[in-house]
């Protein structure tokens, strides 16, 4: 913390870099224009643009200057409420004050005459296309492209240039560029390049009257495509309006300047050419017909959509070109509009279809606009190809049908699940009610009832685990944990339980493990266990006579890994061929509810398939009704170097391994006195020299004076916690310190805690109460020469295999302590005495923290108590403390914490009384 404070006060504050003179001139120009605008509600968007512009870098300011200038100029000259100067007046002021900015061609061209602007815009546009293409192709070696690039980079001499010829020249250049790059990169790449450059130019210069000239240099093959990036109908309308305004100005000059008649005629011809170009480059097909349906105009896009050339349509009747139904609607609509001035088809958007020449159907969106002239009515039809949209709509409808089928399947699943869950619940609730009323005078009947409750609870747990695993897989949150494990032992343990079930049904159960299969491999044993339980369980469930065979063999082996094949074969009812492909679907069951109902969720095979695929394998199924089924899969595992702990614990005592750990020096960083005593006693049995540190700060001091082989680190401690201490150790310059293996030791089972431990630099993760077997395996694997330095192998303690020879007590379960210390009465009494001495202080601290509504102290006290309670087998109270810790961590309502504490307080005095009784009873 002191280091962080020192860095903070010694770090110099950053200052904004001083702007260059050129950048300052740009800002001054924008400020000048901003002052000319009437500030109103309508300028808020513009104000945001200006504010964002000020934050741009110099290069970005130069790039966006034309766009922002034209927006500001438009506001000043067209949208100001009080004063609206002309554009020319504003530009004259800019030329006078900021001519130094004209060195930027992108900005200067705004102030050039209209005709010069058009050519410069086209020239700049093509230069940008070549520049963008060179990023993909590299430098050009084609002589024609090199000449075009040099020509485009040379400034114009407008005194000698022929404007019309130059426009054609630039279009020719564009076509050459298009063909060359199309051959190199393909049509999609060059089309995207043109669209990208066009979009940037549109953003910067679309407010210029000359902007539409760019369309003159875009190849027809691109314009013919249905591309949304080119001008929309509204944009083209706006451009066309601007051109019409230009025509009006030209007409006014014509009446005033008769002497310039020839010049005006040229401008009119150019404007007409421009209007024709806009019509020809429109994204919609445009067809103009008279009142009799005779085609007067037919643009390029109409040719592309309907695949009919202009020559085939001009002067012909539109009615002969469309289907019968549309033909009748057009005739009726034209007649109605001419007679009444209104019709449901005119000025409305409708969807219809038209047959092309080759017989294919194209779906179009059609709008017909009526135009009244002096002598006749004209009807202008705008239409666009929506065939792709129709295809997408059909796909959406199909997807909807599939989704509805899936929803129906889930509904069936929920119905089945409701029944499956209610069945064991009814048994549990019913038998629990009977036990509550029992006077326990008949132990045999009571035990049967308890067995029934346990059996139903286990079935319920299987159902819930299936649902949870399925949810995790669907959400993509299921993770695999790779550890060393004995494959033969796993298969043997699974088979032991299933062989009993097979014997009960009179089935033969065979287990075949090939000798080439290694004893130890590295992988996720939990998921393999889950897969095999599902497959073998199904095999026994659906087999009434015959045998079940599980076979394990090596499929492929290399230095990096080994591929193992697993096969489960039965002689059961089998699966029909038409249903075999559906058995891996979620919620699917071959046997429907009814007379021959088979119990289950319909998730087992789906989960197994996805678990196998997560590990890079494929689940295959072969089946014949009445003959049986075979399910097999292969998974590649890493080879294990795990040799030192290959010990069968059923035939090996602790003393046989103690020499491997004798003399090891371990630093135990733990603040709980009970845990300190527990760990120290455990280590003394293994002849391990254990030093105790109450917190991370003390641990760091001890590391300066002693050398340790291992650190056992609690996660939550006062002064300095486990992760913080670990980070300091890992950042140490002393290799004797920073490379010490560290085992996280915590009562926390949350994934976040494990992640935090590994991220801080810890190598292992054990949960409290510590499992003797898990701790010994970790110690042996760390000290084994086969385990590489800093290898991270997360381990979790498994305390399910505990002896049951202890007398039954109401609260405490000391089986874990008795197993760990081999029924050493003196050590167990020591642990219990520490619980009696230390716990009341922490318990009172928890009570006070809840009353004072202190979340942090509540969380710390609950965490500390949880470890002590868990060690002496107080499962229910440990769960309550877990809830208190979580609720205080999430800062939930204290009323909820008080409820939890009240529940805990009901049993706590009785627990103390029971432990005191244990202490009195043990000596006898």
């Amino acid at each position: 913390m002191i280091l962080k404070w020192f860095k903070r006060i010694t770090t110099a504050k950053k200052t904004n870099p001083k702007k260059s003179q050129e950048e300052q001139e740009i800002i001054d120009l924008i400020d000048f224009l901003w002052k000319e605008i009437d500030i109103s509600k309508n300028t808020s968007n513009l104000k945001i643009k200006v504010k964002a512009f000020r934050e741009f870098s110099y290069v970005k300011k130069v790039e966006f200057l034309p766009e922002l200038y034209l927006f500001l100029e438009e506001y000043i000259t067209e949208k100001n409420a009080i004063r609206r100067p002309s554009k020319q007046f504003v530009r004259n002021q800019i030329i006078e004050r900021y001519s130094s900015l004209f060195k930027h061609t992108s900005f200067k061209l705004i102030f050039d005459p209209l005709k010069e602007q058009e050519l410069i815009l086209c020239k700049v546009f093509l230069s940008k296309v070549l520049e963008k293409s060179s990023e993909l192709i590299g430098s050009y070696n084609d002589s024609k492209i090199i000449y075009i690039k040099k020509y485009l980079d040379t400034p114009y001499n407008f005194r000698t240039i022929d404007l019309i010829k130059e426009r054609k020249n630039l279009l020719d250049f564009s076509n050459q560029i298009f063909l060359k790059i199309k051959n190199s990169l393909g049509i999609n790449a060059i089309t995207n390049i043109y669209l990208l450059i066009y979009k940037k130019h549109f953003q910067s210069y679309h407010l210029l009257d000359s902007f539409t000239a760019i369309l003159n240099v875009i190849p027809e093959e691109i314009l013919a495509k249905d591309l949304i990036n080119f001008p929309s109908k509204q944009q083209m309308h706006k451009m066309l309006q601007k051109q019409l305004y230009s025509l009006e100005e030209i007409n006014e000059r014509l009446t005033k300047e008769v002497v310039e008649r020839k010049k005006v005629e040229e401008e009119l011809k150019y404007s007409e050419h421009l209007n024709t170009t806009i019509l020809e480059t429109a994204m919609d097909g445009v067809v103009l017909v008279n009142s009799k349906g005779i085609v007067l105009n037919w643009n390029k896009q109409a040719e592309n959509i309907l695949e009919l050339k202009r020559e085939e349509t001009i002067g012909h009747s539109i009615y002969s070109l469309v289907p019968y139904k549309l033909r009748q609607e057009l005739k009726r609509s034209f007649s109605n509009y001419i007679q009444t001035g209104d019709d449901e088809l005119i000025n409305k958007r409708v969807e219809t279809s038209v047959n092309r020449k080759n017989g294919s159907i194209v779906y179009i969106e059609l709008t017909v606009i009526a135009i009244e002239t002096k002598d006749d009515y004209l009807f202008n039809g705008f239409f666009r190809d929506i065939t792709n949209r129709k295809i997408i709509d059909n796909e959406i409808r199909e997807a909807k049908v599939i989704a509805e089928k899936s929803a129906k399947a889930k509904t069936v699943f929920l119905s089945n699940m409701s029944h499956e869950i209610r069945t064991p619940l009814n048994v549990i609730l019913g038998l629990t009610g009977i036990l509550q009323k029992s006077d326990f005078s008949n132990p045999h009947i009571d035990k049967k009832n308890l067995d029934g409750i346990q059996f139903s609870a286990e079935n319920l747990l299987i159902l819930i685990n299936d649902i949870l695993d399925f949810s995790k897989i669907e959400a993509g949150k299921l993770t695999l944990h790779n550890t060393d494990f004995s494959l033969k032992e796993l298969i043997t343990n699974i088979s032991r339980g299933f062989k009993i079930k097979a014997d009960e049904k009179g089935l033969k159960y065979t287990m075949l493990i090939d000798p080439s299969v290694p004893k130890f491999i590295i992988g996720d044993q939990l998921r393999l266990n889950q897969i095999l339980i599902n497959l073998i369980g199904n095999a026994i469930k659906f087999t009434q006579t015959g045998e079940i065979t599980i076979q394990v063999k090596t499929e492929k082996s290399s230095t990096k890994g080994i591929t193992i094949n697993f096969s489960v074969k039965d002689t059961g009812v089998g699966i029909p061929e038409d249903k075999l492909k559906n058995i891996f679907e979620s919620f699917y069951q071959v046997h429907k509810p009814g007379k021959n109902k088979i119990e289950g969720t319909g998730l087992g095979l789906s989960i197994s398939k996805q678990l196998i695929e997560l590990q890079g394998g494929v689940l295959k199924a072969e089946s014949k009704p009445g003959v049986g089924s075979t399910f097999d899969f292969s998974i590649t595992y890493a080879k294990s170097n795990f040799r030192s702990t290959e010990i069968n614990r059923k035939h090996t005592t602790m003393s046989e391994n103690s020499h491997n750990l004798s003399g090891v020096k371990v630093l135990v960083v733990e603040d709980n006195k009970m845990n300190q005593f527990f760990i120290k006693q455990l280590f003394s049995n293994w002849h391990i020299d254990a030093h105790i540190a109450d917190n991370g700060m003390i641990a760091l001091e001890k590391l300066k004076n002693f050398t340790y082989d291992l650190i056992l680190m609690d996660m939550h401690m006062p002064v300095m916690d486990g992760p913080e201490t670990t980070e300091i150790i890992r950042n140490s310059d002393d290799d004797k310190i920073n490379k010490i293996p560290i085992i996280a030791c915590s009562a926390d089972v949350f994934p976040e805690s494990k992640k935090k431990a590994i991220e801080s630099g810890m190598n292992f993760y054990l949960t409290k109460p510590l499992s003797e077997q898990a701790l010994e395996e970790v110690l042996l694997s760390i000290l084994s020469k086969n385990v590489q330095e800093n290898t991270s192998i997360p381990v979790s303690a498994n305390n399910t295999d505990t002896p049951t020879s202890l007398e039954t007590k109401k609260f405490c379960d000391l089986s874990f302590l008795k197993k760990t210390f081999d029924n050493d009465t003196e050590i167990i009494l020591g642990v219990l005495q520490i619980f009696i001495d230390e716990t009341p202080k922490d318990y009172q601290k928890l009570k006070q923290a809840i009353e004072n509504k202190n979340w942090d102290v509540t969380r710390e006290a609950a965490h500390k108590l949880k470890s002590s309670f868990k060690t002496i087998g107080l499962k229910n109270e440990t769960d309550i403390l877990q809830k208190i810790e979580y609720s205080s961590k999430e800062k939930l309502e204290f009323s909820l914490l008080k409820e939890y504490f009240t529940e805990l307080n009901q049993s706590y005095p009785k627990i103390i009384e029971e432990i005191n009784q244990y202490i009195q009873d043990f000596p006898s």
Side-chain angles (χ1 to χ4, degrees), residues 450-547:
L450 285 171
D451 289 342
I453 291 173
Q454 183 180 3
F455 178 79
S456 297
E458 287 173 353
N459 283 341
L460 185 60
L461 182 62
I462 291 170
L463 291 170
I464 293 170
N465 283 340
D466 275 353
I467 298 168
L468 292 176
D469 280 344
F470 176 73
S471 300
K472 285 182 182 178
I473 294 171
E474 289 286 290
K477 293 183 178 179
L478 189 74
T479 55
L480 300 174
H481 300 285
N482 293 326
T483 56
D484 295 84
F485 70 96
S486 170
L487 179 59
K488 292 180 180 178
E489 186 178 339
L490 183 143
I491 301 293
T492 302
N493 288 339
I494 292 173
S495 296
R496 188 179 295 118
F498 279 116
K499 189 174 188 309
I500 295 171
K501 290 188 176 182
D503 290 342
E504 288 174 355
K505 295 184 72 172
L507 303 174
K508 182 182 178 183
Y509 186 94
T510 306
M511 180 180 69
L512 303 172
I513 301 179
D514 195 90
S516 63
V517 175
K519 186 172 183 181
F520 284 91
I521 56 176
I522 299 174
D524 194 324
Q525 62 174 331
L526 175 64
R527 298 307 172 189
L528 177 58
N529 186 77
Q530 190 175 356
I531 293 163
L532 292 175
I533 285 174
N534 273 329
L535 296 180
I536 299 172
N538 278 348
I540 292 176
K541 184 191 298 183
F542 293 108
T543 304
Q544 303 304 321
T545 58
E547 64 178 331

Side-chain angles (χ1 to χ4, degrees), residues 342-609:
D342 190 25
D343 185 77
E344 60 183 17
L345 184 63
I346 307 300
N347 299 326
K348 302 286 193 309
R349 284 185 183 177
V350 295
E351 293 182 4
T352 185
S353 61
V354 179
N355 292 79
R356 289 182 174 137
K357 225 177 184 180
N358 60 7
S360 63
I361 297 175
V362 58
Y363 293 92
I364 60 171
E365 184 182 76
L366 173 66
T367 303
V368 179
I369 306 297
I371 305 169
E372 186 176 358
T373 64
K374 287 191 297 183
D375 304 320
D376 196 7
Y377 282 90
L378 301 180
F379 296 93
N380 209 6
F382 299 87
F383 58 94
R384 63 180 56 183
D385 187 351
I386 59 168
T387 306
N388 287 339
R389 194 175 81 191
K390 282 288 184 183
I391 292 171
I392 293 171
D393 287 345
N394 290 336
E395 289 176 351
I396 291 172
R397 278 194 290 271
E398 290 174 5
K400 183 183 176 185
V401 171
I402 293 170
E404 287 172 348
K405 287 182 179 179
S406 176
K408 187 176 179 181
K410 288 185 179 183
T411 302
V412 173
F413 159 75
L414 288 173
S415 175
N416 294 344
M417 186 61 63
S418 174
H419 174 79
E420 300 293 346
I421 291 175
R422 284 173 183 273
T423 300
L425 270 179
N426 286 336
V427 174
I428 292 168
L429 292 172
L431 293 178
T432 302
I434 291 172
L435 282 172
Q436 285 176 330
K437 297 174 184 177
S438 173
D439 57 0
F440 302 102
S441 59
N442 191 336
H444 179 70
I445 297 298
D446 293 335
K447 186 178 183 305
K448 277 191 172 183
N449 289 336
L450 285 171
D451 289 342
I453 291 173
Q454 183 180 3
F455 178 79
S456 297
E458 287 173 353
N459 283 341
L460 185 60
L461 182 62
I462 291 170
L463 291 170
I464 293 170
N465 283 340
D466 275 353
I467 298 168
L468 292 176
D469 280 344
F470 176 73
S471 300
K472 285 182 182 178
I473 294 171
E474 289 286 290
K477 293 183 178 179
L478 189 74
T479 55
L480 300 174
H481 300 285
N482 293 326
T483 56
D484 295 84
F485 70 96
S486 170
L487 179 59
K488 292 180 180 178
E489 186 178 339
L490 183 143
I491 301 293
T492 302
N493 288 339
I494 292 173
S495 296
R496 188 179 295 118
F498 279 116
K499 189 174 188 309
I500 295 171
K501 290 188 176 182
D503 290 342
E504 288 174 355
K505 295 184 72 172
L507 303 174
K508 182 182 178 183
Y509 186 94
T510 306
M511 180 180 69
L512 303 172
I513 301 179
D514 195 90
S516 63
V517 175
K519 186 172 183 181
F520 284 91
I521 56 176
I522 299 174
D524 194 324
Q525 62 174 331
L526 175 64
R527 298 307 172 189
L528 177 58
N529 186 77
Q530 190 175 356
I531 293 163
L532 292 175
I533 285 174
N534 273 329
L535 296 180
I536 299 172
N538 278 348
I540 292 176
K541 184 191 298 183
F542 293 108
T543 304
Q544 303 304 321
T545 58
E547 64 178 331
I548 309 295
T549 304
I550 173 170
Q551 186 173 12
V552 184
K553 60 184 178 181
T554 301
E555 189 173 281
K556 186 170 61 177
S557 181
S558 67
T559 55
K560 293 182 179 179
I562 183 166
T563 302
I564 299 175
N565 178 263
F566 302 86
S567 174
V568 178
K569 185 177 181 181
D570 65 63
T571 57
V573 295
I575 304 166
E577 187 176 350
D578 60 329
K579 293 182 179 179
L580 195 59
K581 62 182 179 181
N582 299 324
I583 61 174
F584 298 122
E585 294 178 5
S586 306
F587 318 120
Y588 184 85
Q589 292 174 305
V590 175
H591 299 268
K592 302 296 181 185
K595 184 179 179 182
N596 298 319
K597 180 183 185 299
I598 299 293
E599 304 294 329
T601 62
L603 289 175
L605 283 177
S606 175
I607 292 171
S608 298
K609 177 177 180 289

Side-chain angles (χ1 to χ4, degrees), residues 287-297 313-319 334 378-379:
V287 176
L288 182 67
V289 300
N290 62 17
S291 59
K292 295 180 180 180
I294 303 299
V295 178
L296 305 178
N297 202 354
T313 59
I314 299 293
H316 296 274
S317 173
I318 189 68
Y319 302 133
F334 290 173
L378 301 180
F379 296 93

Side-chain angles (χ1 to χ4, degrees), residues 581-833:
K581 62 182 179 181
N582 299 324
I583 61 174
F584 298 122
E585 294 178 5
S586 306
F587 318 120
Y588 184 85
Q589 292 174 305
V590 175
H591 299 268
K592 302 296 181 185
K595 184 179 179 182
N596 298 319
K597 180 183 185 299
I598 299 293
E599 304 294 329
T601 62
L603 289 175
L605 283 177
S606 175
I607 292 171
S608 298
K609 177 177 180 289
Q610 294 184 68
L611 288 175
I612 291 167
E613 289 173 353
L614 275 173
Q615 298 174 83
V618 177
L619 178 58
K620 300 176 184 176
E622 293 180 2
S623 185
K624 287 185 179 179
V627 177
S629 305
T630 301
F631 290 84
D632 78 273
F633 62 94
S634 299
I635 297 177
T636 301
Y637 293 98
K639 289 186 174 180
S640 174
N641 294 321
F642 202 52
R643 294 291 180 270
S644 61
T645 58
E646 293 180 14
I647 300 166
N648 187 335
R649 293 189 174 272
K650 289 185 178 179
H651 307 288
T652 307
T653 64
M654 181 68 68
S655 60
E656 292 173 341
N657 286 322
S658 61
H659 68 276
N660 292 324
L661 301 174
S662 179
V664 173
K665 187 172 284 188
V666 178
L667 176 60
V668 179
V669 190
E670 168 68 64
D671 67 318
N672 188 303
K673 298 295 181 185
M674 184 172 165
N675 286 334
Q676 289 176 2
F677 179 81
F678 173 85
I679 295 169
K680 201 161 186 179
Q681 291 298 323
L682 187 62
F683 282 173
S684 69
N685 292 338
W686 299 338
H687 309 291
I688 291 175
D689 184 11
H691 290 195
I692 303 295
D694 287 335
N695 57 61
M697 192 70 75
I698 297 173
L700 295 175
E701 289 298 322
K702 284 184 176 289
L703 285 169
K704 294 177 183 178
N705 303 317
F706 298 96
T707 301
Y708 295 99
D709 299 304
L710 180 73
I711 299 173
L712 194 64
M713 183 78 70
D714 187 25
M715 289 290 287
H716 301 279
M717 294 177 290
V719 185
M720 184 181 289
D721 65 13
E724 186 179 355
T725 308
T726 302
E727 287 180 6
I728 295 173
I729 292 172
R730 291 295 180 235
N731 292 326
S732 172
D733 295 329
D734 189 345
D735 285 346
K736 291 182 180 179
I737 295 175
N738 61 37
K739 292 186 178 179
I740 300 174
I742 301 175
I743 301 175
C745 181
S746 176
D748 233 340
V749 295
F750 296 119
E752 294 82 359
S753 296
K754 293 184 181 181
K755 183 180 178 183
K756 188 176 181 181
I758 299 303
E759 287 177 349
S760 68
M762 299 189 196
N763 305 90
F764 296 82
Y765 192 94
L766 293 177
T767 55
K768 296 177 184 177
L770 292 176
S771 162
E772 177 188 9
Q773 179 181 345
L775 183 57
E776 184 190 12
E777 285 182 357
V778 171
L779 291 173
L780 288 170
S781 64
I782 286 176
L783 300 172
S784 170
K785 294 179 182 179
N786 294 325
V787 177
Q788 296 180 358
E789 190 175 356
N790 290 333
T791 302
S792 176
I793 311 174
V795 179
S796 295
N798 182 0
N799 303 323
T800 56
D801 187 17
T802 58
T804 58
S805 60
L806 290 168
E807 66 274 21
T808 304
K809 289 290 182 180
K810 190 171 182 182
F811 296 103
C812 301
D813 179 4
L814 301 185
S815 57
F816 170 71
L817 283 175
K818 290 198 172 190
K819 179 188 174 186
T820 301
F821 296 110
D822 197 21
N823 286 315
D824 189 320
T825 305
E826 186 178 347
I827 296 176
I828 294 171
L829 282 173
V831 173
L832 295 177
Q833 190 60 52

Side-chain angles (χ1 to χ4, degrees), residues 186-249:
I187 182 64
N188 290 333
I190 184 57
T191 300
N192 288 333
I193 290 171
Y194 267 82
L195 289 175
L196 178 64
I197 303 304
Y198 174 84
K199 185 177 180 181
K200 288 184 178 179
H201 268 57
F202 183 88
Q203 193 69 24
S204 298
Y205 300 113
H206 70 279
L207 291 175
L208 289 176
D209 294 338
S210 58
F211 173 76
T212 51
I214 291 177
L215 297 173
N216 291 328
V217 295
I218 296 177
E220 288 186 2
E221 191 169 345
I222 294 178
L223 292 171
K225 289 181 173 291
D226 188 10
L227 299 166
I228 60 171
N229 297 70
F230 279 124
S232 65
K233 195 186 299 179
Q234 292 80 3
Q235 290 168 344
M236 287 191 293
H237 182 67
K238 185 175 180 181
M239 294 176 192
L240 187 57
Q241 280 184 327
K242 289 186 176 181
Q243 294 302 319
L244 290 173
Y245 294 148
S246 177
L247 284 173
E248 290 175 2
E249 291 176 12

Side-chain angles (χ1 to χ4, degrees), residues 10-275:
T10 55
T11 303
K13 291 185 177 179
K14 294 183 180 179
T15 56
N16 293 325
K18 189 176 181 181
K19 293 181 173 59
S20 65
Q21 183 179 350
E22 294 177 351
E23 187 174 1
Q24 189 58 50
E25 285 178 357
I26 294 174
I27 294 172
D28 291 343
L29 166 62
I30 300 305
D31 289 342
F32 169 74
L33 294 170
W34 182 250
K35 289 176 183 176
E36 296 297 314
I37 294 175
D38 296 337
I39 304 300
S40 66
K41 293 180 181 178
N42 296 328
T43 60
S44 57
N45 289 336
L46 188 59
K47 187 174 182 180
I48 293 170
K49 284 180 180 287
V50 172
K51 185 177 179 181
F53 182 83
R54 292 176 188 277
E55 301 299 322
F56 288 164
S57 64
Y58 171 67
V59 174
K60 205 170 181 183
K61 281 188 174 77
V62 172
E63 181 184 352
F64 285 89
L65 180 58
E67 176 186 343
L68 184 57
Y69 171 82
L70 290 170
F71 269 113
L72 291 169
E73 183 188 76
E74 184 183 44
Y75 264 85
I76 294 169
T77 59
E78 296 181 20
K79 300 182 180 181
N80 269 356
I82 302 172
R83 185 174 63 86
R84 295 184 186 176
S86 66
K87 283 186 181 179
Q88 195 57 50
F89 176 81
V90 174
R91 292 184 181 181
N92 287 340
Q93 287 185 298
I94 301 304
I95 293 170
E96 182 181 342
R97 296 186 183 207
Y98 302 98
S99 58
S100 61
L101 296 177
F102 287 176
K103 66 180 180 182
H104 303 296
T105 307
S106 61
F107 180 65
K108 179 181 177 298
L109 69 84
I110 295 173
F111 301 86
D112 290 328
L114 179 67
K115 294 175 183 177
E116 296 179 14
Q117 271 185 21
E118 291 172 348
L119 292 180
I120 295 171
L121 274 172
C122 293
K123 209 173 184 184
V124 171
F125 176 83
L126 293 177
S127 294
K128 293 291 184 182
V129 170
L130 274 179
E131 182 182 338
K132 190 67 180 176
S133 302
S134 66
E135 293 177 9
L136 301 176
I137 296 176
S139 58
Y140 295 99
N141 54 13
D142 187 279
S143 58
K144 288 184 179 179
I145 298 297
I146 293 171
Y147 169 79
I148 292 171
K149 188 177 186 306
K150 185 176 179 182
Y151 183 91
L152 295 174
D153 293 338
T154 305
Y156 276 128
N157 182 359
F158 286 99
R159 297 179 200 169
T160 59
I161 200 166
D162 186 324
L163 298 177
I164 296 175
K165 286 183 179 180
E166 185 58 16
R167 283 199 294 271
K168 293 180 179 178
N169 193 30
L170 290 175
L171 178 57
D172 182 56
F173 285 164
S174 180
N175 286 328
Q176 290 183 51
I177 293 169
F178 175 80
L179 290 173
K180 289 288 181 184
I181 301 172
K182 175 184 173 183
N183 293 334
S184 298
L185 300 176
I187 182 64
N188 290 333
I190 184 57
T191 300
N192 288 333
I193 290 171
Y194 267 82
L195 289 175
L196 178 64
I197 303 304
Y198 174 84
K199 185 177 180 181
K200 288 184 178 179
H201 268 57
F202 183 88
Q203 193 69 24
S204 298
Y205 300 113
H206 70 279
L207 291 175
L208 289 176
D209 294 338
S210 58
F211 173 76
T212 51
I214 291 177
L215 297 173
N216 291 328
V217 295
I218 296 177
E220 288 186 2
E221 191 169 345
I222 294 178
L223 292 171
K225 289 181 173 291
D226 188 10
L227 299 166
I228 60 171
N229 297 70
F230 279 124
S232 65
K233 195 186 299 179
Q234 292 80 3
Q235 290 168 344
M236 287 191 293
H237 182 67
K238 185 175 180 181
M239 294 176 192
L240 187 57
Q241 280 184 327
K242 289 186 176 181
Q243 294 302 319
L244 290 173
Y245 294 148
S246 177
L247 284 173
E248 290 175 2
E249 291 176 12
I250 293 170
N251 286 329
E252 288 177 7
R253 285 206 307 274
L254 185 61
T255 58
K256 295 178 181 179
E257 303 173 12
V258 179
V259 291
E260 297 182 6
R261 181 182 181 88
K262 187 175 181 180
K263 183 180 177 181
V264 173
E265 287 177 355
E266 287 180 359
E267 291 181 355
L268 285 171
K269 286 179 182 178
Y270 169 68
S271 182
E272 184 181 350
H273 167 73
L274 196 59
N275 292 338

